[in-house]
């Protein structure tokens, strides 16, 4: 896209990009729990763990858990809100989601 193109095309491109970020964030958030459950059952041959955070210690799904959270955190941080407060809250949520991925809770031995 060049600056010579009409402003309407540029606005449409920005709107599609903005929409794609929103959809991508929602897709990751909606599919991560299912991915962890199914992947854990298939790859690790284990029952459903007590929490999503417990998948951090899964041999096969730990990287997927961390990757999903880091991707979600990055998208939340990059997403711009409609007000300064909304933008601040999105930035804080993005940073905290990455912190959850990087600072795990101690492992628990129980599963459902």
């Amino acid at each position: 896209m060049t600056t010579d193109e009409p402003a309407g095309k540029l606005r449409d491109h920005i709107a599609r990009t903005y929409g794609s970020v929103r959809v991508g964030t929602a897709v990751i958030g909606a599919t991560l729990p299912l991915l962890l459950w199914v992947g854990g059952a298939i790859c690790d041959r284990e029952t459903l763990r007590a929490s999503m955070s417990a998948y951090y210690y899964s041999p096969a799904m730990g990287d997927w858990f961390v990757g999903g959270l880091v991707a979600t955190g990055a998208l939340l941080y990059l997403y711009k809100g409609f007000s300064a407060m909304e933008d601040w809250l999105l930035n804080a949520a993005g940073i905290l989601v990455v912190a959850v991925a990087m600072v795990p809770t101690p492992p628990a031995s129980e599963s459902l």
Side-chain angles (χ1 to χ4, degrees), residues 3-60:
T3 57
D4 297 336
E5 295 188 42
K9 278 184 101 173
L10 181 59
R11 271 193 304 273
D12 290 345
H13 177 75
I14 291 169
R16 283 192 314 274
T17 301
Y18 184 76
S20 296
V21 169
R22 291 178 68 153
V23 169
T25 305
V27 167
I28 293 169
T31 60
L32 185 60
L34 183 61
L35 174 72
L36 294 174
W37 177 46
V38 172
I42 293 170
C43 298
D44 293 333
R45 307 230 187 274
E46 64 185 7
T47 59
L48 182 65
R49 290 186 175 231
S51 70
M52 280 182 57
S53 295
Y55 283 94
Y56 179 89
Y57 298 100
S58 168

Side-chain angles (χ1 to χ4, degrees), residues 76-95:
L76 286 171
Y77 186 83
L78 294 171
Y79 188 83
K80 298 303 166 208
F82 290 106
S83 68
M85 177 60 89
E86 183 181 13
D87 195 38
W88 186 90
L89 290 171
L90 286 164
N91 290 345
I95 290 168

